[in-house]
Amino acid sequence: MTKPALLFDLDGTMLDTDAIHARVFAEMMAPYGIEVTHDFYMARVHGRLNVDIFAEILPDLDDPQGLSEAKEAEFRNRLPRPYPGMPGVQALVRAAEAEGWRLAVVTNAMRANAEAMLQAIDLRDAFEVIVIGEECERGKPDPMPYREAMRQLGVAPGHCIAFEDSPSGMRAAAGSGAYAIGIRSSLDDATLRASGARETLQDFKDISLDALCARLKGETTT
């Protein structure tokens, strides 16, 4: 019997890095007279692909990919090592690993950042599959990155649980057919449910592997 799979977003889901990203964006936008407030960041930056963000906010600049790479290089420079994972995430991942569950990361971060973040929280070795949004034909909020993770793992949507923290990521996870769970690192329950979350958690201490099994069997709903 095929083992279930856990599919994780990274930023804001496995580790809370929004403050670092927001500072880098604010410094990059300031020379153009754009103030990156908390509301601006949540509405126009949070959970989206960098190239889409820069193309939309700075349309007169002709190299959104270059801006994206510069921004993420600065993020990596500022990311402390080690860095705390979201409470309970290490325990959940290691429990799933021990039980033979399949594991994947599905992120809009570029690959160098994904590797750096997983290493910072000491979980790089746990993940056989890392799907990068910008390496797919379409990134989140399209479900394609999640479907690609399922394809690589060989697990059907009905056997997958996805964890996300942003509206765009939640739409991608829910649209893929996975059981989508929101992590309330920066958004509330209502906002995440409006984007497709079946339920939400404050962090990973609020769930167990047995409870996740029950979700997939339809024995428990929240």
Side-chain angles (χ1 to χ4, degrees):
M1 176 175 156
T2 301
K3 289 287 188 177
L6 300 182
L7 314 178
F8 294 85
D9 174 54
L10 263 174
D11 287 297
T13 299
M14 296 189 76
L15 64 171
D16 190 356
T17 51
D18 279 337
I20 303 173
H21 286 293
R23 285 196 297 272
V24 177
F25 270 112
E27 291 172 13
M28 292 186 72
M29 299 290 185
Y32 303 98
I34 298 170
E35 182 182 4
V36 180
T37 63
H38 174 75
D39 288 345
F40 182 100
Y41 180 83
M42 296 305 297
R44 304 185 67 180
V45 175
H46 187 233
R48 299 179 63 202
L49 283 171
N50 282 346
V51 289
D52 295 338
I53 295 164
F54 285 116
E56 175 188 297
I57 298 172
L58 299 172
D60 294 334
L61 301 185
D62 60 5
D63 188 14
Q65 183 61 44
L67 290 170
S68 173
E69 291 173 3
K71 183 263 167 184
E72 297 307 337
E74 183 58 26
F75 168 80
R76 291 192 300 276
N77 286 339
R78 299 188 188 196
L79 178 67
R81 280 88 155 176
Y83 193 83
M86 196 66 71
V89 70
Q90 283 98 342
L92 180 63
V93 168
R94 295 305 182 190
E97 187 180 31
E99 291 296 322
W101 286 42
R102 311 302 299 278
L103 295 164
V105 162
V106 183
T107 178
N108 271 351
M110 62 175 53
R111 188 164 292 276
N113 283 35
E115 295 280 352
M117 285 186 279
L118 285 171
Q119 289 167 5
I121 62 173
D122 196 28
L123 285 176
R124 176 61 187 92
D125 64 298
F127 288 91
E128 56 197 299
V129 170
I130 300 175
V131 176
I132 305 298
E134 67 179 13
E135 295 176 3
C136 298
E137 184 178 344
R138 296 181 298 278
K140 303 174 191 178
D142 194 280
M144 180 177 285
Y146 275 100
R147 290 175 178 158
E148 175 60 18
M150 295 170 186
R151 184 192 70 78
Q152 291 189 36
L153 292 174
V155 180
H159 290 88
C160 293
I161 293 174
F163 299 98
E164 277 283 355
D165 74 305
S166 71
S168 63
M170 192 55 63
R171 289 194 293 272
S176 74
Y179 187 99
I181 297 178
I183 300 297
R184 299 191 303 271
S185 56
S186 55
L187 297 173
D188 61 19
D189 178 83
T191 302
L192 290 166
R193 285 182 184 269
S195 297
R198 297 280 295 277
E199 62 181 285
T200 72
L201 308 171
Q202 184 59 47
D203 55 46
F204 295 95
K205 293 189 299 182
D206 291 344
I207 200 74
S208 68
L209 213 57
D210 287 344
L212 293 174
C213 280
R215 302 299 196 269
L216 290 175
K217 293 176 182 177
E219 297 172 0
T220 305
T221 57
T222 301

